[in-house]
Amino acid sequence: MSSEDFLKEIQAIGEKFLLKLQKLPKADPVEIASFSVVLLFIVTVLVLTVIACSCCCYSCCGCDGRPDPRHKKSRVRPAAH
């Protein structure tokens, strides 16, 4: 998929989302509830992704930005005879 096709697809999804938001005040309660559930699912996935990425960066870099010494690679040297 080329970048132009991807951008067109994202734009089409955004337009559908805006159209749904415009029609939402006139919608029946079932449609409002289902839209809220889908929106809640999307927000939950995004929040969990941010939390996972921040925890990963925290474990690799620590609070002060320096690498964690526990994850430091050590070189193996041959034994002296």
Side-chain angles (χ1 to χ4, degrees):
M1 177 181 261
S2 70
S3 62
E4 291 178 11
D5 291 339
F6 180 72
L7 290 176
K8 287 179 183 177
E9 190 69 29
I10 295 296
Q11 184 178 5
I13 291 172
E15 288 173 357
K16 288 179 186 177
F17 182 74
L18 287 175
L19 187 62
K20 275 283 190 195
L21 282 177
Q22 290 171 350
K23 291 182 179 181
L24 202 56
K26 300 175 186 173
D28 52 341
V30 174
E31 191 173 353
I32 293 173
S34 63
F35 183 76
S36 299
V37 168
V38 169
L39 194 61
L40 181 66
F41 175 76
I42 292 170
V43 169
T44 304
V45 168
L46 291 175
V47 167
L48 289 176
T49 303
V50 168
I51 291 172
C53 289
S54 65
C55 288
C56 179
C57 290
Y58 179 78
S59 68
C60 291
C61 301
C63 291
D64 53 2
R66 289 183 285 160
D68 191 356
R70 292 178 289 175
H71 297 292
K72 186 177 181 180
K73 294 180 181 178
S74 60
R75 291 187 176 179
V76 178
R77 296 183 182 173
H81 292 282

